[in-house]
Amino acid sequence: MPIVHAPARAEYDWVIVGGGSAGCVLANRLSADPDTRVLMIEAGPSGEGVAEIDRADSWVSLLGSRYDWGYGYAPTARVDGRRIPIPRGRVLGGSSAINAMLWYRGHPRDYDRWEAEGATGWNAASMNRLFRVVEDWEGGADAWRGAGGPIRVERSRDPHPIAAALMAGAAEVGFDVIDDPNGATNEGVAWTNFSATTGADGVMRRWSAVRGYLAPVLERPNLDVLVGSRALGVRLEGPPGGERARSVRHVVDGRSVETAASRGIVLTAGAIDTPRLLMLSGIGDADALTAHGIRPLVDLPGVGANFQDHPLIEGVTARARHALGPVRDTGGGSMLNWRSSVAGEVPDLHSFVVQGPHGTPEVRDEYDLSGDVFAVSPGLMGSRSIGSITLRSGDPDAAPDIQPNFLAERADLDALVESLDTIQDLFGSRAFADLVAAPLAPAGRLDRREAERFVRRSVSTFFHAVGTARMGTDERSVVSPELAVHGVPGLWVADASVMPTIPTCNTLAPVYAIAERAAELLAEVR
């Protein structure tokens, strides 16, 4: 893999900051013009040859590893005073290289809502077009699915019995069985779609952004991919009020260097590091920047605000009647979407199977999860609580303060409490009779007080951080619907941070779609 360890030149046409899911898309698309020079900067290593990244059944071992930024959500009393880890990929491919490979678009109305909130041109139809560009769906192309795209999407070829039990059990208790959760409706139970492929050896392997977008184009002479280079910020030039993004400050071999961009800089560092870099560059809430000793250049109070993530109950566990055998696929295989009593017009609750124990450290201290156990873990895809990302200091080495405000909205707590009973209903179905020896954590149905306690001790994250550089046209938006940073010519954002509201799904697929649209928009910049 021809990766560089120092920029080949002092200036490129485009500099992409962040070699994750979105960055790899843009590196591919922008460098398709042989006369356009592109540099992509990634803080982490290449990840080349790492078996744990390649094998779908090893992904959990990557969490908290050297390939993870090691961030955590700040504790609150609402989550029982716990620090909740929020894994983010620190490796080429970003979170597409360490995640669970779940391919899920959510409900079409999620994206019509974006346009209604000011993201003109972003709606269900436009996103469906982009999803189809990205996909290489095992079932071939139709009105909803794409074929021949860079990202292979498949279902399990040999689902685990727990995955099969969820399919049958959900139907038994009254949920619809749907063929494709990425089609016209996502409400019901379905086999999981994975951004992965299963080989002749029966092993499922990850199909990351590197595999789909970057590896096929690494030999292009106009594309440089720099690994092990941490970005420090963007340098702006020009008179006050007329500053333009000119270069990126980043670390190469332990020293700070600057690389210029003649056409523009694109931040694809994700919903945590993109706002952090903007603030370190003097772009953000002016009073907050001043308090940290950073000279404010562009007052954008929306930077770091509007942080959203999906809360996950980790998890609802049962004692198995017999040995479960080796992990298949990613350890999952099927999923259920349904509505709580506080839901709107689309499903707000989601659950998936875990072929083993699933519990926070606090739950593991309270319950014995050893031996043959498994979980069906529910979470809230229709979450309402909104948090923020702020700087702790002006030191670029300092991690930001990340507060998702989980359970701040009463409706979020209510929905998650309801979800516990649904999982107990599933465990009590005939489909699970041969699998469940007894409910374990919790050990059956709970009253309201007990259920709230369990939720607060069990709530974690789906790893779906979004929203911190929201696109729109109002004073709290950070980028325009064309993804240009307000008030900063030459600077764009193209990652999960631009989402106005979090869609009811895993966020990998919409991030790829955002990056594909960004590439189309940036191709017009001269």
Side-chain angles (χ1 to χ4, degrees), residues 453-464:
R453 178 179 181 272
F454 186 83
V455 167
R456 295 188 194 281
R457 289 170 62 80
S458 299
V459 70
S460 183
T461 167
F462 274 100
F463 321 152
H464 298 163

Side-chain angles (χ1 to χ4, degrees), residues 39-64:
L39 172 68
M40 183 171 72
I41 299 169
E42 166 56 37
S46 72
E48 184 180 14
V50 179
E52 293 82 1
I53 292 177
D54 180 56
R55 288 185 61 105
D57 59 5
S58 299
W59 73 272
V60 174
S61 69
L62 299 167
L63 308 183

Side-chain angles (χ1 to χ4, degrees), residues 43-106:
S46 72
E48 184 180 14
V50 179
E52 293 82 1
I53 292 177
D54 180 56
R55 288 185 61 105
D57 59 5
S58 299
W59 73 272
V60 174
S61 69
L62 299 167
L63 308 183
S65 72
R66 66 183 292 243
Y67 305 109
D68 180 356
W69 278 96
Y71 291 138
Y73 289 158
T76 70
R78 294 187 297 272
V79 297
D80 210 26
R82 298 177 298 115
R83 177 187 185 272
I84 299 173
I86 171 62
R88 309 307 300 161
R90 190 178 185 274
V91 62
L92 205 57
S95 294
S96 80
I98 72 167
N99 67 3
M101 293 150 276
L102 303 177
W103 189 262
Y104 182 31
R105 302 179 182 182

Side-chain angles (χ1 to χ4, degrees), residues 179-245:
D179 178 63
D180 185 2
N182 292 310
T185 180
N186 66 343
E187 189 163 4
V189 66
W191 297 112
T192 302
N193 289 193
F194 299 103
S195 53
T197 189
T198 301
D201 59 359
V203 176
M204 181 177 279
R205 289 182 167 83
R206 180 185 302 276
W207 203 289
S208 69
V210 172
R211 183 171 182 176
Y213 280 95
L214 193 60
V217 302
L218 273 173
E219 299 296 338
R220 288 176 179 169
N222 61 319
L223 172 63
D224 287 339
V225 177
L226 175 63
V227 297
S229 182
R230 182 169 52 87
L232 302 175
V234 175
R235 187 166 68 84
L236 278 56
E237 291 181 354
E243 296 90 350
R244 179 182 179 84

Side-chain angles (χ1 to χ4, degrees), residues 349-413:
L349 289 169
H350 172 93
S351 67
F352 57 92
V353 300
V354 180
Q355 301 167 28
H358 196 208
T360 62
E362 292 75 18
V363 169
R364 291 171 187 260
D365 286 344
E366 185 172 350
Y367 299 90
D368 178 10
L369 302 189
S370 62
D372 292 308
V373 301
F374 67 91
V376 177
S377 297
L380 185 61
M381 291 289 189
S383 51
R384 298 168 171 83
S385 300
I386 295 176
S388 64
I389 292 175
T390 56
L391 295 180
R392 297 179 188 272
S393 75
D395 180 357
D397 290 329
D401 185 84
I402 314 169
Q403 180 50 262
N405 281 330
F406 279 159
L407 310 181
E409 295 291 335
R410 185 71 184 185
D412 289 358
L413 179 62

